[in-house]
Amino acid sequence: MPTVEERGLEWKVGALILVAIALLGTFVLLMSGISFARGWHVNVDFANPGAVQTGAAVKISGVRVGRVEATTFLGGRVDSHTKRRVQVRMRLFLEDRVKDVLREDAECFITAAGLLGEPHLELTTGSHDRPPLRDGAYLVGVDPPRFELILART
């Protein structure tokens, strides 16, 4: 039968293991980009979104307000919702705190933090005299400059 000192040591080791598992779980959740914030969705159409991937940040004035939830290749087909040809559509998840800020004439750009930074989407809010953007709305994104094409054509 274990002594009191051995039991105390077993409790300490068990508590250490539980704390380590909790810290690991928290770290995995933070690094995966999972957000528990409530939000809504906006669709943005691009001809060529460059290197932006699913999970990329969506920012307004440099502040993260959402993420790219899905990227779908439509191949230039005419979309039944917008009645225009769409090459790539990105579905954005945006936090509720920006619902009243974004307007129908909001714009979406692809940019990066610095020369070698991770690409992300930057939204402009639009004009205050326009109606607010609704959940599930469709925007036409501004494609990034394609430096490889400029270099190939020179």
Side-chain angles (χ1 to χ4, degrees), residues 84-100:
R84 65 177 177 257
R85 294 194 178 278
V86 178
Q87 192 73 14
V88 176
R89 174 165 292 151
M90 292 187 165
R91 182 173 170 85
L92 311 183
F93 170 83
L94 300 174
E95 297 172 4
D96 275 343
R97 64 185 170 137
V98 298
K99 193 163 188 126
D100 296 329

Side-chain angles (χ1 to χ4, degrees), residues 146-154:
R146 300 201 41 207
F147 296 112
E148 71 276 6
L149 289 178
I150 295 169
L151 291 173
R153 291 179 181 161
T154 58

Side-chain angles (χ1 to χ4, degrees), residues 33-115:
I34 293 175
S35 172
F36 297 106
R38 296 175 52 105
W40 53 297
H41 295 93
V42 171
N43 300 290
V44 183
D45 299 335
F46 289 98
N48 180 2
V52 176
Q53 300 293 320
T54 300
V58 177
K59 298 180 179 184
I60 296 176
S61 300
V63 177
R64 186 181 179 124
V65 295
R67 69 181 180 281
V68 177
E69 193 171 79
T71 303
T72 307
F73 177 72
L74 299 175
R77 287 180 265 137
V78 176
D79 179 59
S80 60
H81 298 289
T82 62
K83 308 293 188 248
R84 65 177 177 257
R85 294 194 178 278
V86 178
Q87 192 73 14
V88 176
R89 174 165 292 151
M90 292 187 165
R91 182 173 170 85
L92 311 183
F93 170 83
L94 300 174
E95 297 172 4
D96 275 343
R97 64 185 170 137
V98 298
K99 193 163 188 126
D100 296 329
V101 174
L102 293 174
R103 304 297 177 177
E104 285 182 346
D105 62 341
E107 291 182 303
C108 185
F109 299 89
I110 296 173
T111 187
L115 188 60

